Amino acid sequence: MPETVFVLNGPNLNLLGTREPEIYGSATLDDIAGILEDRARELHLEVDVRQSNHEGHLVDWLHEAQAIGARAVLLNAGAYTHTSVAIHDAIKAIRTPVIEVHLSNPHTREEFRHQSYVGMAAKGTVAGFGAASYLVALEAVIRL
Ligand code: DQA
């Protein structure tokens, strides 16, 4: 049985493809999921890609990752990255390694995006490579 990597996506990422494409690119979340599924197969892993606009769902899924023994979590918490102490605490509460992912590079954007409650608790961060950020993060999982 291949080990599972959770790929958790937060608010507004369901609109990828049409949402500010000059910042986030033209790939949809389904496109990204397809790319990750193909690469995961080659790495003898399985990805479980989810999206929610609700903070508590992300907290519950982080707990679930540990409960099912997931190998790792790739987490793009969207705007909750910059606001959510609950998600920060959930990352700290589990032993499952969490890799923070962003399509854009928040550090080159508005100041309110420079603080990351996710990054402060995560194993590492991949940001700024568009959809490829997820792929780079998946490659990092096998090196953990
Ligand atoms: C994002 C960056 C966040 O600042 C923003 O709120 C998002 C997307 C990214 O992937 O670049 O929703 O997480």
Side-chain angles (χ1 to χ4, degrees):
M1 266 294 274
E3 286 182 299
T4 300
V5 176
F6 275 18
V7 183
L8 305 182
N9 295 279
N12 302 305
L13 293 167
N14 54 312
L15 298 182
L16 280 183
T18 56
R19 175 194 181 196
E20 299 183 273
E22 64 287 355
I23 297 175
Y24 299 117
S26 56
T28 66
L29 196 55
D30 279 348
D31 294 336
I32 293 171
I35 292 165
L36 289 175
E37 279 158 18
D38 291 346
R39 184 63 185 132
R41 209 169 299 116
E42 290 168 2
L43 298 171
H44 308 292
L45 292 169
E46 202 164 70
V47 286
D48 185 339
V49 182
R50 304 181 187 185
Q51 188 276 330
S52 176
N53 294 322
H54 304 277
E55 187 175 14
H57 289 165
L58 296 168
V59 170
D60 288 343
W61 291 341
L62 286 161
H63 298 174
E64 186 184 336
Q66 163 147 297
I68 69 137
R71 170 85 172 262
V73 177
L74 311 189
L75 174 61
N76 184 350
Y80 288 137
T81 303
H82 317 297
T83 63
S84 179
V85 177
I87 291 173
H88 172 95
D89 284 351
I91 296 168
K92 300 266 261 203
I94 62 173
R95 285 180 304 279
T96 315
V98 175
I99 301 177
E100 178 185 26
V101 177
H102 299 287
L103 297 128
S104 66
N105 180 354
H107 294 287
T108 63
R109 301 181 62 196
E110 303 95 326
E111 198 158 339
F112 65 82
R113 296 184 204 276
H114 296 181
Q115 162 132 310
S116 173
Y117 288 100
V118 170
M120 282 189 275
K123 185 90 186 152
T125 298
V126 183
F129 301 103
S133 290
Y134 289 85
L135 209 48
V136 173
L138 185 63
E139 300 285 342
V141 168
I142 56 170
R143 292 171 172 82
L144 284 172

